Amino acid sequence: MQKTREFHRRSITDRDAFWREQAERVLWDTPFAEVLDFSRPPFARWFVGGQTNLCFNAVDRWVESQGEQPALIWVSTEVDQEITYTRRQLFDEVNAVAAMLREQGVGRGDRVLLYMPMVPQAVFTMLACARLGAVHSVVFGGFASVNLAQRIDDATPKVIVSADAGSRAGKVVPYKPLLDKALSLCAHPPKSVIVLNRGLAPCGLEPRRDLDYQALRERHEGARVPVQWLESSEPSYILYTSGTTGKPKGVQRDVGGYAVALAASMEYLFDGKPGDTFFCTSDIGWVVGHSYIVYGPLIGGQATILYEGTPVRPDGAILWKLVEQHRVNTLFSAPTAVRVLKRQAPELLSRHDLSTLRAVYLAGEPLDEPTAQWISEGLGKPIIDNYWQTESGWPILSAQPGVERVATRFGSPSFPVYGFDARIVSEQTGEDLPAGEKGVVAIVPPLPPGAMSTIWGDDDRFVQTYFTSIPGRQLYSTFDWGRVDEDGYWFILGRTDDVINVAGHRLGTREIEESINSHSGIAECAVVGVADSLKGQVAMAFAVLKNPALAERPEDARAVEGDIMRVVEDQLGAVARPARIRFVAALPKTRSGKVLRRAIVAICEGRDPGDLTTIEDPSSLEQIKDALQ
Ligand code: ATP
Ligand code: MG
């Protein structure tokens, strides 16, 4: 890993020269005067004075060389449709939508909020905003009215673009009624709403406010809208964090730094090149979707697949079928998707020709060792666990096969990515910790290009939230625990608020989860700390079995529970044994696949679980309640 280390070292110690070189990947209308302005720490302004545009770099610049090649491939297994847009067609669509938005008065710096399913019009709209210099804020389609209203009031958009409905696992998910309700709750509703009517659900238009997307689109056929050049540090978008640990934060991103970071990552992290095909199964409502469905691949001259569907419909081979059909080179997904596949027949992994596929990237939550091993062996492809946050915009820790091919280790997202001066520091003293010791994953500012510039409308909250929790130093805290092993591989050990204290022993719930997951009968599990009058806290485990029949009778469940207890005791010691292991059919998760530990704890302690609008399947909480009986 000598090369990776050296590359990383140079990005930190010879920062300006390093990023000046990387900036050549982006087309600038006006060259920048300074690589970095860090005169007001922790605020970093990258490529100061440079003018560029994300849409220009993602669309226009490739039209000449790749005009007739696929740029956006939309596949919906929900409505059984597939449409491929060439780069030129993408250019046409984006221009038409830009003209539609311009007609509504949208210009530089104005916000446009998207509340849309996984349809190509959502991508056109994001790129059209970028073209106009408008700031998009994509709100994940699963959010309900109250969340949506909060975000509308926070971003105060001039226009909202939405749709009648989405579809998930064959069921229509209405959007427009939720939006209408949200608008009625808003203090600052926008003047106009553009609605894409897919014909999935009844969709009334409010006169004087609502406009029909298709009708506008037809009227603007053939329109051309000039690119609005932006200063590198102007905002490109606002995106709210998942809200796993509390009130979501409106992460604001810049233009130039983001373009450079993504362009470089296409080569160094994904080992890709123009003409490749990239398939990211995330949602455009999440950061992974922003960076690796939309901007990253398109800026890198790659075709991108936009997939509306689940990994198991029509069957558990659908992802691999799409890889074969579209000759996908890079697949990007999440551990939660792999855990879903793990409950399907393993033969599905080898049914299709995956010869074009170089590697599978997984991010968003911990990738436990057994799951990593299962998918790696089943596919015979490298599995690249990469660790990042909405805030970082692109991976903080990852293998970097475009820099150097280094063996990965199951359970580890490998090494710090160039640009991120990541450290493991002591929670008490703020000092760097030696290999082997567990501490907080922190980043020495400046955050690199592509990371958040601030919290939308709240510079103080940005500083207070991220840069004041580590004593003695102004470091960015990820609020995750980590450890580096003797060979330099990093491990994420859970969130700093997921530590429990059992009779004076501090235990990371993640470590207990890892141990339970290593039992061959377990598909996934969640461990939480629950208040206990005797021990302070006890660990409670909720596990999903690969074969649910195994625990159908109480005596069988007790036997499996005993088995798992022994595994944990062997691996971590008796103190780490959960007080109880309960079996459920599904864990309560956010729609981005993150376990809602806060809500589980609340239920275990008999409290109200609070805001649950981000939950994927409300019945999963009922199961937790039942399991506790
Ligand atoms: P909020 O900050 O609002 O509570 P969130 O942290 O869940 O929400 P995201 O930014 O979507 O919102 O998630 C980032 C977090 O996801 C990381 O801080 C980390 O805890 C977890 N994570 C992401 N990738 C990995 C990974 N590869 N391994 C372990 N954990 C990961
Ligand atoms: Mg977070």
Side-chain angles (χ1 to χ4, degrees):
M1 62 188 78
Q2 208 41 49
K3 259 173 108 176
T4 312
R5 278 222 176 104
E6 176 49 29
F7 196 71
H8 182 268
R9 193 198 57 74
R10 187 166 170 257
S11 75
I12 305 299
T13 58
D14 199 5
R15 186 179 61 209
D16 285 17
F18 180 92
W19 286 111
R20 186 182 298 282
E21 283 162 28
Q22 299 309 326
E24 284 171 21
R25 299 169 184 276
V26 167
L27 290 186
W28 300 86
D29 184 58
T30 307
F32 50 89
E34 202 186 343
V35 173
L36 170 68
D37 171 9
F38 194 49
S39 57
R40 197 166 63 99
F43 297 91
R45 292 174 61 221
W46 288 95
F47 310 114
V48 184
Q51 297 214 356
T52 186
N53 181 287
L54 287 173
C55 178
F56 183 84
N57 278 281
V59 184
D60 303 44
R61 78 172 279 196
W62 298 102
V63 169
E64 203 179 312
S65 59
Q66 297 190 355
E68 312 320 316
Q69 288 176 36
L72 177 66
I73 302 162
W74 178 56
V75 179
S76 173
T77 49
E78 296 291 338
V79 296
D80 261 324
Q81 234 185 317
E82 206 179 297
I83 305 177
T84 296
Y85 297 85
T86 64
R87 196 73 58 159
R88 192 178 303 282
Q89 288 167 330
L90 181 62
F91 176 79
D92 289 342
E93 293 295 335
V94 170
N95 271 281
V97 180
M100 287 157 51
L101 293 172
R102 187 176 58 181
E103 190 178 64
Q104 297 308 312
V106 174
R108 184 178 195 159
D110 291 331
R111 275 81 58 212
V112 173
L113 189 136
L114 283 78
Y115 182 60
M116 294 186 90
M118 291 284 282
V119 290
Q121 290 80 2
V123 177
F124 306 153
T125 306
M126 289 168 76
L127 292 165
C129 289
R131 188 172 200 83
L132 293 168
V135 178
H136 60 66
S137 180
V138 183
V139 176
F140 177 63
F143 283 127
S145 305
V146 174
N147 303 67
L148 182 54
Q150 275 169 1
R151 286 160 174 77
I152 296 172
D153 279 336
D154 192 56
T156 56
K158 205 164 214 173
V159 174
I160 293 180
V161 184
S162 188
D164 58 339
S167 175
R168 197 173 154 78
K171 280 204 237 27
V172 170
V173 183
Y175 279 44
K176 184 60 171 35
L178 274 71
L179 174 62
D180 287 339
K181 174 138 185 260
L183 287 170
S184 73
L185 298 170
C186 274
H188 309 285
K191 211 174 83 258
S192 43
V193 175
I194 299 175
V195 186
L196 174 75
N197 192 345
R198 307 175 70 191
L200 292 178
C203 175
L205 296 186
E206 180 78 30
R208 282 191 304 279
R209 186 194 73 190
D210 296 353
L211 302 156
D212 181 66
Y213 183 103
Q214 289 305 351
L216 291 180
R217 166 70 188 80
E218 273 157 41
R219 207 147 48 67
H220 291 280
E221 172 68 38
R224 290 289 175 266
V225 175
V227 160
Q228 171 68 60
W229 301 108
L230 297 174
E231 201 278 333
S232 179
S233 302
E234 283 183 63
S236 58
Y237 68 74
I238 308 167
L239 180 64
Y240 294 86
T241 60
S242 310
T244 310
T245 54
K247 183 168 178 259
K249 301 162 278 270
V251 168
Q252 176 180 323
R253 194 114 36 229
D254 73 352
V255 177
Y258 192 50
V260 171
L262 293 183
S265 75
M266 295 318 289
E267 176 179 337
Y268 298 129
L269 295 182
F270 300 106
D271 206 6
K273 51 182 185 326
D276 278 4
T277 299
F278 203 100
F279 179 14
C280 172
T281 69
S282 180
D283 189 283
I284 48 155
W286 307 125
V287 67
V288 175
H290 279 62
S291 294
Y292 294 116
I293 296 175
V294 184
Y295 291 111
L298 291 176
I299 288 175
Q302 303 200 10
T304 184
I305 297 182
L306 178 74
Y307 176 57
E308 182 181 49
T310 74
V312 289
R313 264 175 45 102
D315 63 38
I318 179 66
L319 298 184
W320 320 115
K321 183 175 168 210
L322 292 173
V323 168
E324 175 180 65
Q325 205 175 327
H326 297 285
R327 312 195 54 74
V328 169
N329 306 103
T330 310
L331 181 71
F332 197 127
S333 193
T336 187
V338 179
R339 291 193 195 106
V340 167
L341 294 177
K342 222 166 129 187
R343 294 158 79 183
Q344 311 272 319
E347 307 83 74
L348 295 174
L349 297 181
S350 48
R351 197 200 271 171
H352 292 276
D353 172 14
L354 306 180
S355 55
T356 53
L357 188 66
R358 277 189 305 263
V360 176
Y361 291 74
L362 299 170
E365 0 134 33
L367 176 64
D368 58 281
E369 233 180 285
T371 301
Q373 186 161 5
W374 178 84
I375 185 80
S376 163
E377 282 166 7
L379 294 175
K381 299 285 177 184
I383 302 301
I384 301 188
D385 177 4
N386 56 114
Y387 160 84
W388 43 308
Q389 307 183 305
T390 307
E391 292 88 341
S392 69
W394 57 294
I396 300 169
L397 301 175
S398 181
Q400 296 144 59
V403 176
E404 180 187 21
R405 277 170 213 221
V406 181
T408 56
R409 288 193 182 162
F410 296 137
S412 163
S414 302
F415 323 111
V417 171
Y418 54 91
F420 287 97
D421 190 0
R423 309 286 176 96
I424 303 282
V425 300
S426 156
E427 191 193 16
Q428 279 91 33
T429 66
E431 283 165 274
D432 285 10
L433 292 174
E437 282 187 36
K438 173 176 166 178
V440 179
V441 179
I443 300 166
V444 181
L447 296 178
M452 79 190 294
S453 355
T454 186
I455 290 180
W456 173 253
D458 203 343
D459 282 355
D460 281 347
R461 188 171 172 214
F462 172 65
V463 180
Q464 285 307 318
T465 303
Y466 297 106
F467 292 92
T468 59
S469 72
I470 292 160
R473 298 164 83 179
Q474 192 179 53
L475 297 181
Y476 171 89
S477 176
T478 62
F479 300 103
D480 286 308
W481 296 110
R483 175 169 52 77
V484 185
D485 74 9
E486 296 295 334
D487 302 320
Y489 285 81
W490 287 56
F491 291 81
I492 296 295
L493 307 172
R495 297 176 183 244
T496 52
D497 58 359
D498 281 345
V499 169
I500 60 175
N501 196 322
V502 180
H505 299 275
R506 281 163 66 77
L507 301 168
T509 52
R510 166 86 201 273
E511 290 153 284
I512 306 175
E513 285 171 7
E514 282 280 333
S515 174
I516 295 178
N517 279 328
S518 72
H519 185 283
S520 61
I522 300 292
E524 59 179 332
C525 75
V527 173
V528 295
V530 176
D532 181 89
S533 52
L534 205 62
K535 298 180 171 172
Q537 270 181 316
V538 292
M540 281 287 301
F542 296 90
V544 178
L545 289 165
K546 281 186 194 154
N547 172 12
L550 225 81
E552 251 156 35
R553 293 180 311 163
E555 56 270 36
D556 294 343
R558 268 196 299 278
V560 184
E561 184 178 7
D563 243 23
I564 299 172
M565 292 286 194
R566 270 188 296 283
V567 171
V568 177
E569 195 169 329
D570 284 350
Q571 294 179 356
L572 301 175
V575 41
R577 270 172 53 143
R580 286 273 178 294
I581 300 168
R582 287 289 177 256
F583 300 104
V584 288
L587 295 172
K589 289 184 181 178
T590 64
R591 296 180 188 247
S592 56
K594 293 174 196 291
V595 175
L596 278 162
R597 291 194 178 70
R598 259 186 319 142
I600 303 180
V601 174
I603 298 229
C604 290
E605 295 180 349
R607 288 181 288 115
D608 174 32
D611 180 13
L612 287 175
T613 31
T614 65
I615 196 167
E616 163 88 37
D617 170 13
S619 78
S620 55
L621 270 188
E622 291 303 316
Q623 291 187 37
I624 299 278
K625 271 187 205 150
D626 294 345
L628 289 170
Q629 298 300 304

